[in-house]
Amino acid sequence: MAVVTSAQENSIRLYAEQNRERLVQIIADLVRIPSENTPPKGKELECQVYAAELLNACGWDAKLYGLDEVPGLQEHPLFWPGRCYHNRPNVGARRTGAGGGRSLVLSGHMDTVPAGAQPWTGSPFSGEVVGNRLYGRGSNDMKGGVATNLFVAEAIARLGIELKGELIVESVVDEEFGGVNGTLAGRLAGYSGDAAIISEPSFLRICAGQRGGRVAFITLTAAAGGVLTDGAFPAGVSEQLRHFLNRLPEFAAERRRTAPNHPLYAHHRDPVPVTVTKMFTGPWGMKEPMTVPESCKIELYWQAMPGETQQDIEQEFFDWLEQVVCTAPHLFPERPQVEFPIRWLPGSSIERDSPLVTELAACARDVIGSEPPVVGIEGPCDMYVFHQVTKTPAVLWGAKGGNTHNADEYLDIDSVVHAAQTLLCFVCRWCGMVS
């Protein structure tokens, strides 16, 4: 780790504290510009232009580049087809170092999940500050993190800091819904360094690992009928659904039995959860006739540990589903149909004693005053692309928040200031400062 004097670090921390309103402003600006990802399309363009203009205004060399311009992207084994990238550019910016230091990438994704149909207390795109919280879609996941990276870039320029190693700041598109092509494009476009920090909301923990994840759409189908009949009352799909849900804990138990123990998830009671995230049988309300549903769509979501393979877990799933059908063949005149709407996201991790982890932990301890937990984050993300494609050590580091992917999503403002102070100090230590 490069030596940064106490006086230098004090001025860096003081800058972040004195300019907290500037950080909040950047976050609110981004939240107020919708950038929802609605596969296969997305609306990240306006936010990406904002990011590029901010970076260029403080002397960075920021470029907007289309994913279709990146050589080899569509041929890469990790590329997920079927997405549209018209007016969905990545942002990549470099600040060339003076030499003799390590390079670093600060990465984040600009897309958010949709605002959704659940009722919000206010506008999903208000960016409203109430007490210590900033509300809005993407405030926590992860415009707070992208804004932190932009704030750090601006701070380095305003403080006149000259780094020895190169610093890269990027904002990618299409991370949500298992997109990841934007993150892959950044690697293939050459925005790489000796290490990377992805500013996801890690709750001021250093997350050196990510879970894997898989989404399955399962359709149950049965003969139905009207509610008046001279024979047996039609059961429709309800008995299938009951049987399916009663057997689901068996798949969850098998996942827990076969998943390897991983030290970054040793504190979790259920490191590989299996859960139903949506169920749908048909239109709802008094404008619809009362009838017995003949089909049910189920969204099933399961997670995986670093080191597990897609093939092994899917074999577990299909073996379990076969048992579900075979134990009640009379309920299944048609076999359940299974689709995988988004890519398999593998678990991935780096060692907790790697220099990136230990040096970031030391910096966080000095800034916050306590030892940051080193754990794995509770879901999938795009970090594995850094680990697999460029073999770059990468971790997640960011603020606290809540209601992520839900109505009334919010970001904890004090924590994002701490995250920014830590990140700014770490950049100077890792890359090195020219005296």
Side-chain angles (χ1 to χ4, degrees):
M1 182 185 296
V3 175
V4 181
T5 67
S6 298
Q8 289 171 325
E9 289 215 342
N10 286 338
S11 67
I12 289 169
R13 294 184 207 176
L14 185 61
Y15 175 92
E17 183 58 44
Q18 291 178 336
N19 290 274
R20 63 186 286 134
E21 293 305 318
R22 173 56 177 161
L23 174 57
V24 170
Q25 177 191 353
I26 299 172
I27 300 167
D29 285 348
L30 291 176
V31 169
R32 289 171 185 146
I33 306 171
S35 56
E36 296 166 292
N37 190 340
T38 53
K41 298 180 179 180
K43 297 181 179 179
E44 300 97 333
L45 176 60
E46 191 176 351
C47 274
Q48 293 291 68
V49 170
Y50 176 100
E53 289 180 347
L54 185 153
L55 289 163
N56 283 324
C58 53
W60 286 66
D61 179 20
K63 290 181 170 51
L64 289 158
Y65 63 96
L67 270 61
D68 294 337
E69 304 170 16
V70 178
L73 177 64
Q74 296 188 24
E75 294 77 28
H76 196 279
L78 291 183
F79 181 78
W80 182 255
R83 306 279 187 149
C84 174
Y85 291 112
H86 178 66
N87 282 337
R88 303 178 71 186
N90 275 358
V91 176
R94 299 179 187 277
R95 192 174 184 87
T96 303
R102 296 171 292 185
S103 57
L104 182 67
V105 180
L106 304 182
S107 183
H109 65 84
M110 191 65 85
D111 61 312
T112 72
V113 297
Q118 292 178 309
W120 287 65
T121 302
S123 166
F125 308 107
S126 69
E128 182 182 11
V129 174
V130 180
N132 189 43
R133 294 179 176 180
L134 187 152
Y135 285 89
R137 173 57 79 226
S139 55
N140 195 45
D141 183 17
M142 63 170 290
K143 289 183 175 179
V146 172
T148 299
N149 294 344
L150 297 176
F151 178 81
V152 166
E154 186 177 78
I156 288 170
R158 288 185 174 181
L159 290 168
I161 294 172
E162 186 176 1
L163 299 172
K164 294 180 179 180
E166 182 178 61
L167 181 62
I168 291 171
V169 175
E170 71 170 3
S171 174
V172 302
V173 301
D174 194 31
E175 189 270 352
E176 299 289 359
F177 299 104
V180 182
N181 289 337
T183 308
L184 176 61
R187 313 290 66 74
L188 299 181
Y191 291 100
S192 297
D194 295 320
I197 295 179
I198 305 168
S199 297
E200 288 276 11
S202 70
F203 289 70
L204 296 180
R205 305 171 302 171
I206 297 171
C207 292
Q210 64 166 87
R211 285 173 173 165
R214 189 60 151 156
V215 175
F217 287 174
I218 303 165
T219 303
L220 307 179
T221 306
V227 296
L228 292 176
T229 174
D230 60 355
F233 195 84
V237 78
S238 61
E239 291 299 323
Q240 278 190 47
L241 179 59
R242 180 183 293 113
H243 181 68
F244 178 94
L245 294 176
N246 283 341
R247 299 295 299 263
L248 187 58
E250 297 172 9
F251 178 48
E254 183 67 6
R255 285 272 53 245
R256 291 192 295 269
R257 186 186 69 82
T258 59
N261 294 323
H262 195 283
L264 292 175
Y265 292 92
H267 61 294
H268 282 281
R269 293 180 60 185
D270 185 4
V272 285
V274 175
T275 187
V276 171
T277 47
K278 293 189 187 78
M279 287 190 291
F280 180 81
T281 59
W284 180 268
M286 299 308 293
K287 292 184 178 181
E288 296 295 330
M290 185 173 65
T291 187
V292 177
E294 60 185 18
S295 69
C296 179
K297 295 183 182 296
I298 302 166
E299 184 180 88
L300 186 65
Y301 176 53
W302 63 81
Q303 295 191 320
M305 283 289 95
E308 291 194 276
T309 68
Q310 174 184 358
Q311 181 179 0
D312 287 346
I313 300 173
E314 288 181 7
Q315 186 65 55
E316 285 181 13
F317 166 72
F318 282 112
D319 288 347
W320 166 78
L321 189 61
E322 180 68 20
Q323 287 299 309
V324 170
V325 174
C326 288
T327 51
H330 60 288
L331 296 179
F332 296 92
E334 296 185 31
R335 295 187 64 80
Q337 299 298 306
V338 179
E339 300 174 77
F340 296 113
I342 62 176
R343 73 166 79 229
W344 151 257
L345 293 164
S348 189
S349 66
I350 63 172
E351 296 298 326
R352 61 190 308 153
D353 61 353
S354 68
L356 174 61
V357 173
T358 58
E359 294 181 29
L360 180 58
C363 199
R365 181 177 61 247
D366 291 345
V367 169
I368 299 170
S370 60
E371 194 71 34
V374 179
V375 297
I377 204 163
E378 289 73 18
C381 65
D382 57 351
M383 182 166 65
Y384 77 93
V385 177
F386 288 88
H387 296 167
Q388 289 189 12
V389 175
T390 52
K391 311 301 181 187
T392 303
V395 298
L396 311 177
W397 168 258
K400 303 176 183 179
N403 294 334
T404 306
H405 289 202
N406 211 332
D408 293 338
E409 180 180 354
Y410 68 88
L411 178 71
D412 178 288
I413 294 173
D414 285 345
S415 74
V416 80
V417 173
H418 286 316
Q421 287 177 307
T422 300
L423 189 59
L424 184 52
C425 288
F426 177 75
V427 165
C428 294
R429 292 187 189 184
W430 179 270
C431 297
M433 291 175 60
V434 176
S435 301

